[in-house]
Amino acid sequence: MLIVMHHKAGQKQVDAVVRAVEAMGLQAAPIPGSERTAIGVLGNKGYVDDSTIRDLPGVQEVIHVSKPYKLVSRDFHPRNSIVKVGNIEIGAGRRPVVAAGPCAVEGEEHILRTAKGVKAAGADLLRGGAFKPRTGPHTFQGLKEEGLKYLAAAGKAVGLPIVTEVMSPDNVGLVAEHADLLQVGARNMQNFDLLRELGRIRKPVLLKRGMSATIEEFLAAAEYILTEGNSQVILCERGIRTFETATRNTLDLAVVPLIAELSHLPVMVDPSHATGKRSLVPPMAKAALVAGAHGILVEVHPEPEKALSDGPQSLTFQGFEKLMKEIGGLSSFLGY
Amino acid sequence: MLIVMHHKAGQKQVDAVVRAVEAMGLQAAPIPGSERTAIGVLGNKGYVDDSTIRDLPGVQEVIHVSKPYKLVSRDFHPRNSIVKVGNIEIGAGRRPVVAAGPCAVEGEEHILRTAKGVKAAGADLLRGGAFKPRTGPHTFQGLKEEGLKYLAAAGKAVGLPIVTEVMSPDNVGLVAEHADLLQVGARNMQNFDLLRELGRIRKPVLLKRGMSATIEEFLAAAEYILTEGNSQVILCERGIRTFETATRNTLDLAVVPLIAELSHLPVMVDPSHATGKRSLVPPMAKAALVAGAHGILVEVHPEPEKALSDGPQSLTFQGFEKLMKEIGGLSSFLGY
Amino acid sequence: MLIVMHHKAGQKQVDAVVRAVEAMGLQAAPIPGSERTAIGVLGNKGYVDDSTIRDLPGVQEVIHVSKPYKLVSRDFHPRNSIVKVGNIEIGAGRRPVVAAGPCAVEGEEHILRTAKGVKAAGADLLRGGAFKPRTGPHTFQGLKEEGLKYLAAAGKAVGLPIVTEVMSPDNVGLVAEHADLLQVGARNMQNFDLLRELGRIRKPVLLKRGMSATIEEFLAAAEYILTEGNSQVILCERGIRTFETATRNTLDLAVVPLIAELSHLPVMVDPSHATGKRSLVPPMAKAALVAGAHGILVEVHPEPEKALSDGPQSLTFQGFEKLMKEIGGLSSFLGY
Amino acid sequence: MLIVMHHKAGQKQVDAVVRAVEAMGLQAAPIPGSERTAIGVLGNKGYVDDSTIRDLPGVQEVIHVSKPYKLVSRDFHPRNSIVKVGNIEIGAGRRPVVAAGPCAVEGEEHILRTAKGVKAAGADLLRGGAFKPRTGPHTFQGLKEEGLKYLAAAGKAVGLPIVTEVMSPDNVGLVAEHADLLQVGARNMQNFDLLRELGRIRKPVLLKRGMSATIEEFLAAAEYILTEGNSQVILCERGIRTFETATRNTLDLAVVPLIAELSHLPVMVDPSHATGKRSLVPPMAKAALVAGAHGILVEVHPEPEKALSDGPQSLTFQGFEKLMKEIGGLSSFLGY
């Protein structure tokens, strides 16, 4: 429920509404705007009887939000949010960022070499997986804590903030200690305990869309994080599961401008997982930026043919350099 | 990798192979059969060089399994597995079972009343959710531990084992204390830490298929549980996500006989979540049994129109009694 | 638009409404019921201003139908329709029928041999394709007119009515000359010119659901046929296209009872195309009947391993006989 | 089947192979290349015994093509095809084109006014539907022949070639008389009689991808047209059907570079039908061009709120002008 106050309503009237909401056993979150204040009501289970509130002085309108998210919504927070990762700002009006690196951290040497390669080509963040969610238990599951440390060291060595996945609530503390941006993978988009735990830390979160998640479910998943107090969330489209098997997933690029309409949070795109095919990554990376993405995640591997996972979708250093130059050619169009 | 021994191979030869496998840093799981022994090899990451094994005495064949599951596979374990929940046996050759109850435990009275109702009509298990995964954080999330206790008490009162969902590794111990069968919901099918934790307990697990999980991914998820040592797993088809919105999900009933070909584990079907529509539950429940399901899960609520969740797909007591009678009419066809 | 008359309204009042509708340039289709008459209004493009009709004597209610079908709807035609194919009646309250035969008619001998085989096992109709829609132009496209004649001759020889596909408006006349039931394939479900042409003949039509057609689109496609005057239409679920590749399509069995709620037309199920796998056909055939299907279509081939198309999903004579016996075991449950 | 000749093979050897192929009852299509000649073999139903050919002088390799298309494939025809519509060339290396206009031709005035508007903003082609495929029979089905004439007149008046849909083989002649580019809609992608008929004319064809067609099926559908002799085919991605309902369809943009790898035919994109939402059309139009599309189709309507169909996805003149300017800003990036 959203309570919209008259533009002339004073602080006293806002306070009175907040008290009335709390008297109903609900939380009130005042959202001051340039013209008027709105008050978000949280904690209600289903429909709330608004009769005691509608008639309070200064109340202009009571909107019953049927969507499963509020804090994430642009209605609640009309201005674009900027998420800061290390020294980098991500969001509308900022230069789009490029996170690059291998699917999995395979060793100390391996990640350092990759870090140098992507840094040299102009990447803004270093990506790499230490905890790897794999379909079956009998395949490489990542180097875990060891990999995390190698990744952090490589990031520091080349001066790039790092982004890496966290798979379980128990590991949030550990990963947050090392990572600059914590990634939730597609399989965990509705791992609600993990989301809640990430809502309690003070590091930014990159939330990937689930394989068959609607946009409404995607935004509602982000709502879990914001509700716990962490509003530093970046959404990431990475392809959805459809009948088409010619590509690994189907990149749903139209959601980039759609999310920008519905939410104030930044959006990034992962063309590597979306397509699963090296040759399709550069065109989709560029298309994502032109569609309005605030950044992209690209898999890069020194020797893709030897990669422990996702080799076929990883760019070589050379391929990544070429892509970065092409993206440079879009800079004036993109306005930075 | 699966090592098939000659039917004349003796225990000494089997032991030698096991030692050779372990010398490679892998685990060996001997699977004695009526005619010959097979030895499952676990722990390998990708392809294993089998040259040192292939030539050992008594080895007939080395099969490189490309599927992401082994223990779950019928190749490894040709005989049907029977899973015991309380005193009830579930699986091939047993009378199919019916688990019934509300989507969510709403209170002490509510669940006891429902338990009596479904018991009277002939249910074999009592189902009910205490921890509820919900799309957004602002809706009813279940009564949690309190609900779990109410459910367990109601089950005891009427003499029915209970099945309920567990959502996080941290809660496995708590839920296992009360529940006879622990359910993993569709959203958590690939919550690998949860699966591993469930692999370490001694209670049976009901694993629901993810909304967009292929059968291969479904079986591979079960493999996580078996790999940790718990082979008391029941698979549950509950509808997949497709373009069709006339039903809540699309019940993929053909996977019931398909899973029976690929795996030795029992399969149940949840026609309530699959269809989302009360009137479609009875025909799909009966169809599921005829297709070979070893049991069904049906949502029943004393007053569906007042249910805190899933009212439109819940049967009334009367509707459930009618369904149970119709199922009785299939008993001779189903051979029990 | 649907005009519902008072139960006391007389023929004169009905006639007056019909004239008023026609004066608006629309068609009126009176639907006499046991209690009251309803008048369907056809031919409107979008919303119709009902002010001139609402106030006419005898009019009880004017319902603006937003669904893209009317004649097909149970609201318009509450009683179940029975479709007659040869001497066989198909629909609610009748013994469910079995159509069997090869995917394609491969020759005179071949189809006669198959006809004898399926007749001996108890089939009610002989199916077989003469005009074959194939993904690419370089594969066997059917024996066409020749195949049609072989099929008709085989049907006559064993005394079974035949069902076969028609792919183009130009061929409707030819196919109608030979076939007892004309099939529209999944790819042509929205070939509107073909549907209209089939609406003008006096033979029954079997309309298969499109690969990605919603139930609403499916019923709207049938509406094209009924609108032209042919109400002898049987709907056929044959699996939809989803992300799952373990089966050829995903059999959406829940639509069988759903269609029975929405429409008065009979429904059949094709478990062969739905699953694409011989071993899954019998369980799905039986499940379909228990779910309420008024008949099934099963592919049977004397030598499936030599079939020019769809061999892997065709039953042998032996497999078909076994299935027919199992279906017999359901007869008392199905109430015939 | 594709027969690859030695690079030294002479014309006599090629001729001998052609004769051998024809002696098998198949067609041979020699494809001269800069280094060597290949000979495409058409007309085979399934596998062909190549023993009589493999050993002929000059034959280097016989490739059995398992894909359901050949003429469409880049293997057969490595160089990009350019399709000429009026005076406009469409394909790789040419400036991408913009086709604009209303979903349906609604009247003489209406289409002329729209033609002037889109011409003024810089459109290259005028689009508009005269024959409209609609889900149900009771909605506006287009002005048909009358609409076709209005469209042709409007195109002539402003000097733009026109593109319009043809729905049935019977109408191919009529539409070809008026249109510069004949469109096959998504619902008719596998209307094989229509495709064959279009293969016999001498006008270019725009083939839209079916709602649930794989890329393989899409290319195989084009193969029907090329096989009959018309190689002037443009492929058009217009969104596929998935579980996501926030957009009308899911624009599968990754197929643009994928098709460019697999086929020599030009590719266009229709962001209007793909998204179904006016605000998403411009970002997707630009993304499509950056992804490599050789043109786009955009719905433009003088008064979208009054459109007889597809109003919500139509741009106003003002919106279209803005888009054309933005596309202009990409020209140096796109290299024209």
Side-chain angles (χ1 to χ4, degrees):
Chain A
M1 198 165 73
L2 183 65
I3 303 164
V4 182
M5 304 298 291
H6 280 293
H7 69 277
K8 292 189 180 164
Q11 189 58 37
K12 277 193 178 175
Q13 293 180 332
V14 170
D15 290 348
V17 170
V18 167
R19 280 193 305 273
V21 168
E22 291 173 352
M24 294 166 76
L26 304 172
Q27 291 166 258
I31 307 155
S34 55
E35 289 198 15
R36 71 186 71 246
T37 294
I39 300 167
V41 178
L42 305 176
N44 53 308
K45 292 157 189 167
Y47 188 83
V48 174
D49 179 357
D50 64 6
S51 55
T52 57
I53 287 162
R54 215 168 27 194
D55 297 334
L56 289 178
V59 171
Q60 182 188 285
E61 200 184 355
V62 177
I63 301 170
H64 289 275
V65 185
S66 64
K67 298 209 171 297
Y69 54 86
K70 296 174 189 179
L71 299 177
V72 158
S73 166
R74 202 173 268 284
D75 297 337
F76 255 58
H77 188 298
R79 290 207 206 149
N80 296 310
S81 286
I82 301 299
V83 173
K84 221 174 154 186
V85 178
N87 289 318
I88 298 165
E89 291 190 335
I90 301 177
R94 303 302 188 272
R95 184 178 59 78
V97 298
V98 178
C103 177
V105 177
E106 297 175 15
E108 197 171 4
E109 269 311 293
H110 163 262
I111 188 64
L112 183 60
R113 186 178 160 200
T114 312
K116 287 176 181 167
V118 301
K119 168 77 179 182
D124 301 293
L125 291 103
L126 176 65
R127 59 147 291 157
F131 297 91
K132 299 297 306 169
R134 301 301 298 271
T135 299
H138 309 311
T139 44
F140 177 55
Q141 310 269 318
L143 296 181
K144 299 182 181 167
E145 187 166 354
E146 198 189 346
L148 197 57
K149 286 175 181 169
Y150 294 156
L151 178 68
K156 246 171 228 156
V158 302
L160 289 183
I162 63 168
V163 48
T164 197
E165 180 160 352
V166 57
M167 284 173 62
S168 120
D170 291 348
N171 280 333
V172 167
L174 173 67
V175 177
E177 211 179 292
H178 296 283
D180 299 287
L181 176 62
L182 285 83
Q183 176 181 314
V184 178
R187 289 173 183 82
N188 277 315
M189 192 201 83
Q190 292 193 319
N191 183 335
F192 300 124
D193 285 286
L194 176 60
L195 299 178
R196 281 197 200 93
E197 195 62 33
L198 288 165
R200 294 176 198 127
I201 61 169
R202 291 292 153 262
K203 285 249 173 132
V205 176
L206 181 85
L207 178 65
K208 287 198 160 186
R209 182 183 182 185
M211 240 175 288
S212 64
T214 63
I215 288 307
E216 188 165 298
E217 290 168 343
F218 189 17
L219 295 178
E223 183 82 4
Y224 272 91
I225 305 175
L226 271 74
T227 299
E228 296 293 326
N230 186 357
S231 58
Q232 296 284 296
V233 175
I234 300 169
L235 302 167
C236 182
E237 159 65 23
R238 44 75 74 202
I240 56 173
R241 181 161 277 183
T242 71
F243 64 84
E244 178 60 79
T245 55
T247 45
R248 181 170 176 179
N249 291 288
T250 297
L251 179 59
D252 185 8
L253 211 50
V255 306
V256 170
L258 182 62
I259 288 175
E261 292 177 14
L262 298 172
S263 175
H264 53 91
L265 298 174
V267 194
M268 290 180 72
V269 168
D270 175 348
S272 304
H273 283 89
T275 63
K277 200 160 183 280
R278 187 175 304 127
S279 62
L280 304 181
V281 172
M284 287 306 105
K286 291 176 281 177
L289 295 176
V290 168
H294 303 116
I296 51 173
L297 278 92
V298 181
E299 288 194 356
V300 178
H301 195 283
E303 294 164 286
E305 67 288 358
K306 293 189 187 164
L308 291 185
S309 62
D310 286 351
Q313 72 196 31
S314 298
L315 298 183
T316 59
F317 286 157
Q318 203 180 357
F320 181 60
E321 279 163 31
K322 187 160 173 289
L323 171 60
M324 290 302 284
K325 267 178 212 154
E326 290 171 352
I327 290 177
L330 280 168
S331 63
S332 70
F333 179 82
L334 296 172
Y336 65 91
Chain B
M1 198 164 76
L2 183 65
I3 303 164
V4 181
M5 304 299 290
H6 279 294
H7 70 275
K8 292 190 179 163
Q11 190 58 37
K12 275 193 181 175
Q13 293 179 332
V14 170
D15 290 348
V17 170
V18 166
R19 279 194 305 275
V21 168
E22 290 173 351
M24 294 166 76
L26 303 171
Q27 292 167 256
I31 308 156
S34 55
E35 291 199 14
R36 69 185 72 246
T37 293
I39 300 167
V41 178
L42 305 176
N44 56 309
K45 291 157 187 168
Y47 189 83
V48 174
D49 179 358
D50 64 5
S51 55
T52 58
I53 287 163
R54 215 167 26 195
D55 298 335
L56 290 178
V59 170
Q60 182 188 283
E61 198 184 357
V62 177
I63 301 170
H64 290 274
V65 184
S66 65
K67 297 212 172 296
Y69 54 87
K70 297 175 188 180
L71 300 177
V72 158
S73 166
R74 201 173 269 284
D75 296 338
F76 255 59
H77 188 297
R79 291 211 203 146
N80 295 311
S81 287
I82 302 297
V83 173
K84 218 173 158 187
V85 179
N87 289 320
I88 298 164
E89 290 191 334
I90 301 176
R94 302 303 187 272
R95 182 179 60 78
V97 299
V98 178
C103 176
V105 176
E106 297 175 14
E108 197 171 3
E109 268 311 291
H110 164 260
I111 187 64
L112 183 59
R113 186 178 161 201
T114 311
K116 287 176 182 167
V118 301
K119 169 76 178 182
D124 300 293
L125 291 103
L126 176 65
R127 58 148 291 158
F131 297 90
K132 299 297 306 170
R134 301 302 297 271
T135 300
H138 310 310
T139 44
F140 177 56
Q141 309 270 319
L143 295 181
K144 299 178 182 172
E145 186 166 355
E146 198 190 345
L148 196 57
K149 288 177 181 167
Y150 294 155
L151 179 68
K156 246 171 230 157
V158 302
L160 290 183
I162 62 168
V163 48
T164 196
E165 179 161 353
V166 57
M167 284 173 61
S168 122
D170 291 348
N171 280 332
V172 167
L174 172 67
V175 177
E177 211 179 293
H178 296 284
D180 300 286
L181 176 61
L182 285 82
Q183 174 181 317
V184 178
R187 289 173 184 82
N188 277 316
M189 192 201 84
Q190 292 193 318
N191 183 336
F192 300 122
D193 285 285
L194 175 62
L195 299 177
R196 281 196 200 93
E197 195 61 35
L198 288 164
R200 295 175 198 128
I201 62 168
R202 291 294 152 260
K203 285 251 172 128
V205 176
L206 180 85
L207 178 65
K208 289 197 158 187
R209 181 183 184 187
M211 240 175 287
S212 63
T214 62
I215 288 307
E216 187 165 299
E217 289 168 342
F218 189 18
L219 295 178
E223 182 83 4
Y224 272 91
I225 305 175
L226 271 75
T227 300
E228 296 293 326
N230 186 357
S231 58
Q232 297 284 298
V233 174
I234 301 168
L235 302 167
C236 181
E237 159 65 22
R238 44 76 74 201
I240 56 173
R241 182 161 276 182
T242 71
F243 65 84
E244 178 59 82
T245 56
T247 46
R248 183 172 175 178
N249 291 289
T250 297
L251 179 59
D252 185 7
L253 211 50
V255 304
V256 170
L258 180 62
I259 288 174
E261 293 177 14
L262 299 172
S263 176
H264 52 91
L265 298 175
V267 194
M268 291 180 72
V269 168
D270 175 348
S272 303
H273 282 89
T275 62
K277 201 161 182 278
R278 186 175 303 127
S279 61
L280 304 180
V281 172
M284 287 305 104
K286 291 176 281 178
L289 295 176
V290 168
H294 304 117
I296 52 172
L297 278 92
V298 180
E299 288 193 358
V300 177
H301 195 284
E303 294 162 289
E305 67 286 358
K306 292 189 188 165
L308 290 185
S309 62
D310 285 352
Q313 73 195 31
S314 297
L315 297 184
T316 58
F317 286 156
Q318 203 180 356
F320 181 61
E321 279 163 32
K322 187 161 174 290
L323 171 60
M324 290 302 286
K325 267 177 212 154
E326 291 172 351
I327 290 176
L330 282 168
S331 63
S332 70
F333 178 82
L334 296 172
Y336 65 90
Chain C
M1 197 164 76
L2 183 65
I3 303 165
V4 182
M5 304 298 290
H6 281 294
H7 69 275
K8 292 190 179 163
Q11 190 57 37
K12 276 195 181 175
Q13 293 179 331
V14 170
D15 291 348
V17 170
V18 167
R19 280 194 305 274
V21 168
E22 291 173 352
M24 294 166 76
L26 304 171
Q27 293 166 256
I31 308 156
S34 54
E35 290 198 15
R36 69 185 73 243
T37 294
I39 301 167
V41 177
L42 304 176
N44 55 308
K45 291 156 187 169
Y47 189 83
V48 174
D49 180 357
D50 64 5
S51 55
T52 58
I53 287 162
R54 214 167 29 194
D55 297 335
L56 288 178
V59 171
Q60 182 188 283
E61 200 184 355
V62 177
I63 301 171
H64 290 274
V65 185
S66 63
K67 298 210 173 297
Y69 53 86
K70 296 174 190 179
L71 299 177
V72 158
S73 167
R74 202 172 268 285
D75 297 337
F76 255 59
H77 188 298
R79 290 209 205 148
N80 295 310
S81 286
I82 302 298
V83 173
K84 218 172 158 187
V85 179
N87 289 319
I88 298 164
E89 291 190 334
I90 301 177
R94 304 301 187 272
R95 184 177 60 78
V97 298
V98 178
C103 176
V105 176
E106 298 175 14
E108 196 170 2
E109 268 311 293
H110 164 261
I111 188 63
L112 184 59
R113 184 176 163 204
T114 311
K116 288 176 180 166
V118 301
K119 168 77 179 182
D124 301 292
L125 291 103
L126 176 64
R127 58 148 291 156
F131 296 90
K132 300 296 306 169
R134 301 301 298 270
T135 299
H138 309 311
T139 43
F140 178 55
Q141 310 271 318
L143 297 180
K144 298 179 183 170
E145 187 166 352
E146 198 189 345
L148 196 58
K149 287 175 182 167
Y150 294 156
L151 178 68
K156 246 170 232 158
V158 301
L160 291 182
I162 63 168
V163 47
T164 196
E165 179 160 353
V166 58
M167 283 173 63
S168 121
D170 290 349
N171 280 333
V172 167
L174 173 67
V175 177
E177 213 180 291
H178 295 283
D180 301 285
L181 175 62
L182 285 81
Q183 175 180 317
V184 179
R187 290 173 183 81
N188 278 316
M189 191 200 84
Q190 292 193 319
N191 184 335
F192 300 122
D193 285 285
L194 175 61
L195 299 178
R196 281 197 200 93
E197 196 61 34
L198 288 165
R200 294 177 198 126
I201 62 169
R202 291 293 152 259
K203 285 251 172 129
V205 176
L206 181 84
L207 178 65
K208 288 199 159 187
R209 181 184 183 186
M211 240 176 286
S212 62
T214 62
I215 288 307
E216 188 166 296
E217 289 168 343
F218 189 17
L219 296 178
E223 182 83 4
Y224 271 91
I225 305 174
L226 272 74
T227 299
E228 295 295 326
N230 185 357
S231 58
Q232 296 285 299
V233 174
I234 300 170
L235 302 167
C236 181
E237 159 65 22
R238 44 76 74 201
I240 56 173
R241 182 161 274 183
T242 70
F243 64 85
E244 179 59 82
T245 55
T247 45
R248 182 172 175 178
N249 291 290
T250 297
L251 179 59
D252 185 8
L253 211 50
V255 305
V256 170
L258 181 63
I259 288 174
E261 292 177 15
L262 299 173
S263 176
H264 53 92
L265 298 174
V267 194
M268 290 181 72
V269 168
D270 174 349
S272 304
H273 283 90
T275 62
K277 202 163 183 277
R278 186 175 304 126
S279 61
L280 304 180
V281 172
M284 287 306 103
K286 291 175 279 176
L289 295 176
V290 168
H294 304 117
I296 51 172
L297 277 93
V298 181
E299 287 193 358
V300 178
H301 196 282
E303 293 162 287
E305 67 287 358
K306 293 189 187 165
L308 290 185
S309 61
D310 286 351
Q313 72 195 32
S314 298
L315 297 183
T316 58
F317 285 156
Q318 201 179 359
F320 181 61
E321 279 163 31
K322 187 161 174 289
L323 170 61
M324 289 303 285
K325 267 177 211 153
E326 291 171 352
I327 289 175
L330 281 168
S331 64
S332 71
F333 179 81
L334 295 173
Y336 64 91
Chain D
M1 197 164 74
L2 184 65
I3 303 164
V4 182
M5 303 299 289
H6 280 294
H7 70 276
K8 292 190 181 163
Q11 189 57 39
K12 277 194 179 175
Q13 295 180 330
V14 170
D15 290 348
V17 171
V18 167
R19 280 195 304 274
V21 168
E22 290 173 352
M24 295 166 75
L26 304 172
Q27 293 167 254
I31 307 156
S34 54
E35 290 199 14
R36 69 184 74 246
T37 293
I39 299 166
V41 178
L42 305 176
N44 55 309
K45 292 156 187 170
Y47 188 83
V48 174
D49 180 357
D50 64 6
S51 56
T52 57
I53 287 161
R54 216 167 26 193
D55 298 333
L56 289 179
V59 171
Q60 183 188 283
E61 199 184 356
V62 177
I63 301 170
H64 290 274
V65 185
S66 64
K67 298 210 172 296
Y69 54 87
K70 298 175 189 178
L71 299 177
V72 157
S73 166
R74 201 172 269 284
D75 296 339
F76 256 58
H77 188 298
R79 290 209 205 149
N80 296 310
S81 286
I82 302 297
V83 173
K84 219 173 156 187
V85 179
N87 288 319
I88 298 164
E89 291 191 334
I90 301 177
R94 303 302 186 272
R95 184 177 60 79
V97 299
V98 178
C103 176
V105 176
E106 298 175 15
E108 197 171 4
E109 270 310 291
H110 164 261
I111 188 63
L112 184 59
R113 186 177 161 202
T114 311
K116 288 176 181 168
V118 302
K119 168 75 177 184
D124 300 293
L125 291 104
L126 176 65
R127 58 149 290 157
F131 296 90
K132 300 296 307 169
R134 301 302 297 272
T135 300
H138 309 312
T139 43
F140 177 55
Q141 310 269 318
L143 296 181
K144 300 180 181 170
E145 187 166 354
E146 197 190 347
L148 197 57
K149 287 175 180 169
Y150 294 156
L151 179 67
K156 247 171 229 157
V158 301
L160 291 182
I162 63 168
V163 48
T164 197
E165 179 159 353
V166 58
M167 284 172 62
S168 122
D170 291 347
N171 280 332
V172 167
L174 173 66
V175 176
E177 210 178 292
H178 296 283
D180 300 285
L181 176 62
L182 285 82
Q183 175 181 316
V184 178
R187 289 172 183 82
N188 277 316
M189 193 201 82
Q190 291 192 320
N191 184 334
F192 300 123
D193 285 285
L194 175 61
L195 299 178
R196 280 196 200 94
E197 195 61 34
L198 288 165
R200 294 175 200 129
I201 62 168
R202 290 294 154 260
K203 285 252 173 129
V205 176
L206 180 85
L207 178 65
K208 288 198 159 187
R209 181 182 184 186
M211 240 176 287
S212 62
T214 62
I215 288 307
E216 187 165 298
E217 290 168 343
F218 189 18
L219 295 178
E223 183 83 3
Y224 272 91
I225 305 175
L226 271 74
T227 299
E228 296 294 327
N230 185 357
S231 59
Q232 296 284 298
V233 175
I234 301 169
L235 302 166
C236 182
E237 158 66 23
R238 45 74 74 201
I240 56 173
R241 182 161 276 184
T242 71
F243 64 83
E244 178 60 80
T245 55
T247 45
R248 183 170 174 180
N249 291 289
T250 297
L251 179 59
D252 185 8
L253 211 49
V255 304
V256 170
L258 181 63
I259 289 174
E261 292 178 13
L262 299 172
S263 175
H264 52 91
L265 297 175
V267 194
M268 289 180 73
V269 168
D270 175 349
S272 303
H273 283 89
T275 63
K277 203 162 180 276
R278 187 176 304 127
S279 62
L280 303 180
V281 172
M284 287 307 102
K286 291 175 280 177
L289 295 176
V290 168
H294 303 116
I296 52 172
L297 277 92
V298 181
E299 288 194 357
V300 177
H301 196 283
E303 294 163 287
E305 67 286 358
K306 293 189 188 164
L308 290 184
S309 62
D310 286 353
Q313 74 196 30
S314 298
L315 298 184
T316 58
F317 286 156
Q318 203 180 356
F320 181 61
E321 280 163 31
K322 189 162 172 288
L323 171 60
M324 291 302 285
K325 268 178 211 155
E326 290 172 352
I327 290 176
L330 282 168
S331 64
S332 70
F333 179 82
L334 296 173
Y336 67 90

